[in-house]
Amino acid sequence: MRLSRIGPVSDAPDPSAGGGEQRELLARLRAVVEAKDAENAMLRAELDAALERYRRLELRVAELERRLGQDSTNSGTPTSKEPIGAKERRKAGRRQRQESERERRQDRKPGGQPGHRGAGLSRDPDPQERKSADPPAQCSRCGTGLADAEPAGRSWAQVWDVKISRFVTEHLLPALRCPCCGQVTTAQAPPGAHPGSISYGAAVNTAAVLLSGYGNVPAERTAHLIGMLLGVPVSPGFVDKAASRLDDRLADAGFDAAMQAALAAELALGADETPVNVLTPDEDPETGEPDGGSPHVLIICPPGGKLTWLRALGSRRAAAITAILGFFTGFLITDGYTAYQQLLPELAGIQQCAAHVIRRCRAVTRLGPGSLQSWAGDVIEILREAHEATGQARARGEPAADADLLAKLRQRYDEAAAFGITHNRHRDWHDGNHPGYALGCWLRDYAGQVWLFTREPAVEWTNNVSERGAKAAKRHQAVSGYWHTQATLARWCRIRSYLDSAAAHDLTALEAVGSALAGKPWLPVPAAA
């Protein structure tokens, strides 16, 4: 307290005077805290978004690593498109297996092993020509002269070769004048010949078709090779015309209808498709624009591979596939493409290719974490055990393996698929469901089609027969790059189907092409005929 003229004055601050400043200070502090809270919330949101991006990038990297690790052993990737590293790993594994086998079997001799059929030639009992060699002049051991030695039998040596020479046949076509009207009628030329012109025969046409269709040699180079090998000058236009001429003969003879009838009589067929490049695709009849579908080749073969039917597809749409395979009512062996499921009401059943299933399982086993995905490896072993048991039963003449054994294998299969579903249901993946979850669900939903081969003797457990047929289109595309039009693709498919099927029935290419050019091509017949 202090005194003044008006009375005592206190030293304490006046609440009424400082209250406004405090309120202003508190307001400023509150604004700062709210701003910091908003900034912290924004930073936390950014951190959460960054962590989510990081998580997704990790999943994306895992997916890219999985794709980079795909090869022909764990996916549908053909060996021609495998990365160099995959090929080297496969070669290294093969060398390691060979080295380990040699270490285990020191007595293993090089070359073909006992029981191997081999591919050597057999002696021809009726050669076209026999020649006698000069007798030996001296003994191979001591060098003594053999001029007066007595005969001790003989050995033999055969040489198989081909004589290539141009052979010209001229057909004289007599002409006669009608005594009634004076009309001059000339005899018809035989098939392949034309009055007043020069034509090439079956051998030259066969060479053109084989080099261009089988050897995947361009027309210009094919013409050059024919000239060098056969001594017959031909033009690139003739090479293309030879294939077109053969295709016309096959179409006129009803080759596709005969092939369809023969395949319809089979108990089981394998079907597969492979993409191809067509430079000028067909136009959409409604819009006039190029068809937006991706051209494919559909391969249809029965088990055993005695028939091969290649069909050109404008796209891989289900309607295109079902339109071709709608004639068949037996068992169909395919991969997991869902378009084939639309045929199921008309089929006796569908067998899912076990090779595709095994590749999918092998890809999942590499995902982890750790050994969590080992259930997919168990599925592989179960299917192999079922195949081995089924094969042994059929070798004994039994229609199927032991029912109890198959039931136990099926139970293990179902348990493995259920494990894959349970442990991958909520596992993160960069896009959609985890591959382990998707595979487990697929194995559960299509179990009946995976195990069909254990119940039906006519059904094989893989679709290898059709996949082998797809190699022709893949090889042609790898060399040539594309087909010009859908029509040239369809022509190639028909010719290849004809020659492959004819060869499987012990016809040489010269016989098959020669008979077709003569208007009497070989045609497949139903197996029951």
PDB file of all heavy atoms in Angstrom, residues 253-278:
ATOM      1  N   ALA A 253     -12.509 -81.013-101.287  1.00  0.00           N
ATOM      2  CA  ALA A 253     -12.734 -82.412-100.899  1.00  0.00           C
ATOM      3  C   ALA A 253     -13.457 -82.539 -99.566  1.00  0.00           C
ATOM      4  O   ALA A 253     -13.791 -83.657 -99.153  1.00  0.00           O
ATOM      5  CB  ALA A 253     -11.402 -83.154-100.838  1.00  0.00           C
ATOM      6  N   GLY A 254     -13.702 -81.419 -98.866  1.00  0.00           N
ATOM      7  CA  GLY A 254     -14.400 -81.478 -97.582  1.00  0.00           C
ATOM      8  C   GLY A 254     -13.526 -81.953 -96.445  1.00  0.00           C
ATOM      9  O   GLY A 254     -13.988 -82.716 -95.589  1.00  0.00           O
ATOM     10  N   PHE A 255     -12.279 -81.493 -96.431  1.00  0.00           N
ATOM     11  CA  PHE A 255     -11.364 -81.957 -95.393  1.00  0.00           C
ATOM     12  C   PHE A 255     -11.845 -81.569 -93.998  1.00  0.00           C
ATOM     13  O   PHE A 255     -11.804 -82.387 -93.065  1.00  0.00           O
ATOM     14  CB  PHE A 255      -9.960 -81.386 -95.639  1.00  0.00           C
ATOM     15  CG  PHE A 255      -8.984 -81.673 -94.539  1.00  0.00           C
ATOM     16  CD1 PHE A 255      -8.431 -82.931 -94.407  1.00  0.00           C
ATOM     17  CD2 PHE A 255      -8.636 -80.689 -93.620  1.00  0.00           C
ATOM     18  CE1 PHE A 255      -7.534 -83.207 -93.375  1.00  0.00           C
ATOM     19  CE2 PHE A 255      -7.749 -80.957 -92.601  1.00  0.00           C
ATOM     20  CZ  PHE A 255      -7.188 -82.212 -92.474  1.00  0.00           C
ATOM     21  N   ASP A 256     -12.297 -80.328 -93.807  1.00  0.00           N
ATOM     22  CA  ASP A 256     -12.733 -79.891 -92.481  1.00  0.00           C
ATOM     23  C   ASP A 256     -13.935 -80.692 -91.989  1.00  0.00           C
ATOM     24  O   ASP A 256     -14.010 -81.066 -90.808  1.00  0.00           O
ATOM     25  CB  ASP A 256     -13.073 -78.397 -92.510  1.00  0.00           C
ATOM     26  CG  ASP A 256     -11.830 -77.530 -92.640  1.00  0.00           C
ATOM     27  OD1 ASP A 256     -10.757 -77.976 -92.216  1.00  0.00           O
ATOM     28  OD2 ASP A 256     -11.935 -76.411 -93.179  1.00  0.00           O
ATOM     29  N   ALA A 257     -14.877 -80.972 -92.883  1.00  0.00           N
ATOM     30  CA  ALA A 257     -16.049 -81.762 -92.485  1.00  0.00           C
ATOM     31  C   ALA A 257     -15.641 -83.183 -92.106  1.00  0.00           C
ATOM     32  O   ALA A 257     -16.159 -83.757 -91.136  1.00  0.00           O
ATOM     33  CB  ALA A 257     -17.078 -81.783 -93.615  1.00  0.00           C
ATOM     34  N   ALA A 258     -14.710 -83.765 -92.869  1.00  0.00           N
ATOM     35  CA  ALA A 258     -14.240 -85.110 -92.551  1.00  0.00           C
ATOM     36  C   ALA A 258     -13.486 -85.128 -91.222  1.00  0.00           C
ATOM     37  O   ALA A 258     -13.639 -86.059 -90.415  1.00  0.00           O
ATOM     38  CB  ALA A 258     -13.347 -85.632 -93.673  1.00  0.00           C
ATOM     39  N   MET A 259     -12.693 -84.099 -90.980  1.00  0.00           N
ATOM     40  CA  MET A 259     -11.962 -84.029 -89.717  1.00  0.00           C
ATOM     41  C   MET A 259     -12.918 -83.872 -88.548  1.00  0.00           C
ATOM     42  O   MET A 259     -12.762 -84.529 -87.498  1.00  0.00           O
ATOM     43  CB  MET A 259     -10.977 -82.860 -89.754  1.00  0.00           C
ATOM     44  CG  MET A 259     -10.177 -82.680 -88.477  1.00  0.00           C
ATOM     45  SD  MET A 259      -9.083 -84.061 -88.096  1.00  0.00           S
ATOM     46  CE  MET A 259      -7.750 -83.745 -89.263  1.00  0.00           C
ATOM     47  N   GLN A 260     -13.931 -83.053 -88.706  1.00  0.00           N
ATOM     48  CA  GLN A 260     -14.904 -82.870 -87.622  1.00  0.00           C
ATOM     49  C   GLN A 260     -15.642 -84.168 -87.328  1.00  0.00           C
ATOM     50  O   GLN A 260     -15.853 -84.526 -86.168  1.00  0.00           O
ATOM     51  CB  GLN A 260     -15.891 -81.769 -87.995  1.00  0.00           C
ATOM     52  CG  GLN A 260     -16.965 -81.532 -86.955  1.00  0.00           C
ATOM     53  CD  GLN A 260     -17.832 -80.335 -87.277  1.00  0.00           C
ATOM     54  OE1 GLN A 260     -17.341 -79.250 -87.538  1.00  0.00           O
ATOM     55  NE2 GLN A 260     -19.147 -80.533 -87.261  1.00  0.00           N
ATOM     56  N   ALA A 261     -16.025 -84.911 -88.372  1.00  0.00           N
ATOM     57  CA  ALA A 261     -16.718 -86.178 -88.170  1.00  0.00           C
ATOM     58  C   ALA A 261     -15.816 -87.194 -87.472  1.00  0.00           C
ATOM     59  O   ALA A 261     -16.261 -87.950 -86.595  1.00  0.00           O
ATOM     60  CB  ALA A 261     -17.203 -86.725 -89.509  1.00  0.00           C
ATOM     61  N   ALA A 262     -14.540 -87.216 -87.833  1.00  0.00           N
ATOM     62  CA  ALA A 262     -13.611 -88.155 -87.200  1.00  0.00           C
ATOM     63  C   ALA A 262     -13.378 -87.791 -85.741  1.00  0.00           C
ATOM     64  O   ALA A 262     -13.324 -88.671 -84.869  1.00  0.00           O
ATOM     65  CB  ALA A 262     -12.289 -88.175 -87.960  1.00  0.00           C
ATOM     66  N   LEU A 263     -13.249 -86.506 -85.444  1.00  0.00           N
ATOM     67  CA  LEU A 263     -13.031 -86.085 -84.064  1.00  0.00           C
ATOM     68  C   LEU A 263     -14.283 -86.291 -83.216  1.00  0.00           C
ATOM     69  O   LEU A 263     -14.190 -86.564 -82.016  1.00  0.00           O
ATOM     70  CB  LEU A 263     -12.599 -84.619 -84.021  1.00  0.00           C
ATOM     71  CG  LEU A 263     -11.226 -84.307 -84.620  1.00  0.00           C
ATOM     72  CD1 LEU A 263     -10.982 -82.802 -84.630  1.00  0.00           C
ATOM     73  CD2 LEU A 263     -10.119 -85.012 -83.848  1.00  0.00           C
ATOM     74  N   ALA A 264     -15.457 -86.135 -83.827  1.00  0.00           N
ATOM     75  CA  ALA A 264     -16.704 -86.326 -83.076  1.00  0.00           C
ATOM     76  C   ALA A 264     -16.844 -87.754 -82.570  1.00  0.00           C
ATOM     77  O   ALA A 264     -17.528 -87.994 -81.565  1.00  0.00           O
ATOM     78  CB  ALA A 264     -17.897 -85.945 -83.945  1.00  0.00           C
ATOM     79  N   ALA A 265     -16.222 -88.709 -83.257  1.00  0.00           N
ATOM     80  CA  ALA A 265     -16.316 -90.111 -82.847  1.00  0.00           C
ATOM     81  C   ALA A 265     -15.334 -90.480 -81.744  1.00  0.00           C
ATOM     82  O   ALA A 265     -15.391 -91.595 -81.219  1.00  0.00           O
ATOM     83  CB  ALA A 265     -16.087 -91.013 -84.056  1.00  0.00           C
ATOM     84  N   GLU A 266     -14.436 -89.568 -81.385  1.00  0.00           N
ATOM     85  CA  GLU A 266     -13.459 -89.858 -80.341  1.00  0.00           C
ATOM     86  C   GLU A 266     -14.104 -89.768 -78.960  1.00  0.00           C
ATOM     87  O   GLU A 266     -15.021 -88.977 -78.736  1.00  0.00           O
ATOM     88  CB  GLU A 266     -12.287 -88.865 -80.422  1.00  0.00           C
ATOM     89  CG  GLU A 266     -11.479 -88.954 -81.705  1.00  0.00           C
ATOM     90  CD  GLU A 266     -10.603 -90.189 -81.748  1.00  0.00           C
ATOM     91  OE1 GLU A 266     -10.329 -90.755 -80.666  1.00  0.00           O
ATOM     92  OE2 GLU A 266     -10.187 -90.576 -82.847  1.00  0.00           O
ATOM     93  N   LEU A 267     -13.593 -90.569 -78.021  1.00  0.00           N
ATOM     94  CA  LEU A 267     -14.099 -90.519 -76.654  1.00  0.00           C
ATOM     95  C   LEU A 267     -13.631 -89.280 -75.915  1.00  0.00           C
ATOM     96  O   LEU A 267     -14.347 -88.755 -75.043  1.00  0.00           O
ATOM     97  CB  LEU A 267     -13.665 -91.773 -75.891  1.00  0.00           C
ATOM     98  CG  LEU A 267     -14.214 -93.105 -76.400  1.00  0.00           C
ATOM     99  CD1 LEU A 267     -13.623 -94.260 -75.600  1.00  0.00           C
ATOM    100  CD2 LEU A 267     -15.734 -93.120 -76.306  1.00  0.00           C
ATOM    101  N   ALA A 268     -12.433 -88.802 -76.247  1.00  0.00           N
ATOM    102  CA  ALA A 268     -11.876 -87.644 -75.551  1.00  0.00           C
ATOM    103  C   ALA A 268     -11.079 -86.810 -76.543  1.00  0.00           C
ATOM    104  O   ALA A 268     -10.496 -87.344 -77.497  1.00  0.00           O
ATOM    105  CB  ALA A 268     -10.988 -88.068 -74.380  1.00  0.00           C
ATOM    106  N   LEU A 269     -11.069 -85.516 -76.302  1.00  0.00           N
ATOM    107  CA  LEU A 269     -10.296 -84.580 -77.116  1.00  0.00           C
ATOM    108  C   LEU A 269      -9.583 -83.603 -76.195  1.00  0.00           C
ATOM    109  O   LEU A 269     -10.092 -83.244 -75.132  1.00  0.00           O
ATOM    110  CB  LEU A 269     -11.192 -83.795 -78.075  1.00  0.00           C
ATOM    111  CG  LEU A 269     -11.837 -84.534 -79.245  1.00  0.00           C
ATOM    112  CD1 LEU A 269     -12.697 -83.580 -80.056  1.00  0.00           C
ATOM    113  CD2 LEU A 269     -10.789 -85.187 -80.132  1.00  0.00           C
ATOM    114  N   GLY A 270      -8.423 -83.163 -76.626  1.00  0.00           N
ATOM    115  CA  GLY A 270      -7.730 -82.072 -75.954  1.00  0.00           C
ATOM    116  C   GLY A 270      -7.851 -80.812 -76.783  1.00  0.00           C
ATOM    117  O   GLY A 270      -7.791 -80.857 -78.012  1.00  0.00           O
ATOM    118  N   ALA A 271      -8.046 -79.677 -76.134  1.00  0.00           N
ATOM    119  CA  ALA A 271      -8.204 -78.406 -76.833  1.00  0.00           C
ATOM    120  C   ALA A 271      -7.337 -77.350 -76.148  1.00  0.00           C
ATOM    121  O   ALA A 271      -7.300 -77.264 -74.918  1.00  0.00           O
ATOM    122  CB  ALA A 271      -9.659 -77.964 -76.851  1.00  0.00           C
ATOM    123  N   ASP A 272      -6.659 -76.568 -76.960  1.00  0.00           N
ATOM    124  CA  ASP A 272      -5.821 -75.493 -76.447  1.00  0.00           C
ATOM    125  C   ASP A 272      -5.811 -74.384 -77.485  1.00  0.00           C
ATOM    126  O   ASP A 272      -6.142 -74.622 -78.657  1.00  0.00           O
ATOM    127  CB  ASP A 272      -4.404 -75.991 -76.170  1.00  0.00           C
ATOM    128  CG  ASP A 272      -3.602 -75.008 -75.334  1.00  0.00           C
ATOM    129  OD1 ASP A 272      -4.214 -74.106 -74.736  1.00  0.00           O
ATOM    130  OD2 ASP A 272      -2.365 -75.131 -75.276  1.00  0.00           O
ATOM    131  N   GLU A 273      -5.424 -73.204 -77.078  1.00  0.00           N
ATOM    132  CA  GLU A 273      -5.377 -72.076 -78.007  1.00  0.00           C
ATOM    133  C   GLU A 273      -4.105 -71.281 -77.748  1.00  0.00           C
ATOM    134  O   GLU A 273      -3.587 -71.247 -76.628  1.00  0.00           O
ATOM    135  CB  GLU A 273      -6.614 -71.183 -77.869  1.00  0.00           C
ATOM    136  CG  GLU A 273      -6.730 -70.388 -76.598  1.00  0.00           C
ATOM    137  CD  GLU A 273      -7.063 -71.237 -75.395  1.00  0.00           C
ATOM    138  OE1 GLU A 273      -7.706 -72.288 -75.553  1.00  0.00           O
ATOM    139  OE2 GLU A 273      -6.660 -70.849 -74.282  1.00  0.00           O
ATOM    140  N   THR A 274      -3.599 -70.657 -78.793  1.00  0.00           N
ATOM    141  CA  THR A 274      -2.383 -69.870 -78.678  1.00  0.00           C
ATOM    142  C   THR A 274      -2.545 -68.589 -79.476  1.00  0.00           C
ATOM    143  O   THR A 274      -3.105 -68.603 -80.580  1.00  0.00           O
ATOM    144  CB  THR A 274      -1.159 -70.669 -79.177  1.00  0.00           C
ATOM    145  OG1 THR A 274       0.034 -69.888 -78.980  1.00  0.00           O
ATOM    146  CG2 THR A 274      -1.266 -71.011 -80.639  1.00  0.00           C
ATOM    147  N   PRO A 275      -2.102 -67.441 -78.956  1.00  0.00           N
ATOM    148  CA  PRO A 275      -2.256 -66.176 -79.680  1.00  0.00           C
ATOM    149  C   PRO A 275      -1.297 -66.079 -80.856  1.00  0.00           C
ATOM    150  O   PRO A 275      -0.175 -66.604 -80.812  1.00  0.00           O
ATOM    151  CB  PRO A 275      -1.938 -65.120 -78.613  1.00  0.00           C
ATOM    152  CG  PRO A 275      -1.040 -65.828 -77.643  1.00  0.00           C
ATOM    153  CD  PRO A 275      -1.492 -67.258 -77.628  1.00  0.00           C
ATOM    154  N   VAL A 276      -1.731 -65.410 -81.901  1.00  0.00           N
ATOM    155  CA  VAL A 276      -0.913 -65.199 -83.096  1.00  0.00           C
ATOM    156  C   VAL A 276      -1.086 -63.756 -83.558  1.00  0.00           C
ATOM    157  O   VAL A 276      -2.039 -63.071 -83.164  1.00  0.00           O
ATOM    158  CB  VAL A 276      -1.292 -66.170 -84.242  1.00  0.00           C
ATOM    159  CG1 VAL A 276      -0.978 -67.600 -83.868  1.00  0.00           C
ATOM    160  CG2 VAL A 276      -2.764 -66.024 -84.590  1.00  0.00           C
ATOM    161  N   ASN A 277      -0.174 -63.311 -84.398  1.00  0.00           N
ATOM    162  CA  ASN A 277      -0.230 -61.959 -84.946  1.00  0.00           C
ATOM    163  C   ASN A 277      -0.738 -62.012 -86.388  1.00  0.00           C
ATOM    164  O   ASN A 277      -0.206 -62.760 -87.208  1.00  0.00           O
ATOM    165  CB  ASN A 277       1.156 -61.303 -84.928  1.00  0.00           C
ATOM    166  CG  ASN A 277       1.670 -61.097 -83.513  1.00  0.00           C
ATOM    167  OD1 ASN A 277       0.897 -60.837 -82.599  1.00  0.00           O
ATOM    168  ND2 ASN A 277       2.975 -61.208 -83.325  1.00  0.00           N
ATOM    169  N   VAL A 278      -1.768 -61.231 -86.668  1.00  0.00           N
ATOM    170  CA  VAL A 278      -2.316 -61.090 -88.012  1.00  0.00           C
ATOM    171  C   VAL A 278      -2.191 -59.632 -88.411  1.00  0.00           C
ATOM    172  O   VAL A 278      -2.699 -58.747 -87.704  1.00  0.00           O
ATOM    173  CB  VAL A 278      -3.782 -61.557 -88.082  1.00  0.00           C
ATOM    174  CG1 VAL A 278      -4.357 -61.315 -89.472  1.00  0.00           C
ATOM    175  CG2 VAL A 278      -3.872 -63.039 -87.732  1.00  0.00           C
TER     176      VAL A 278
END
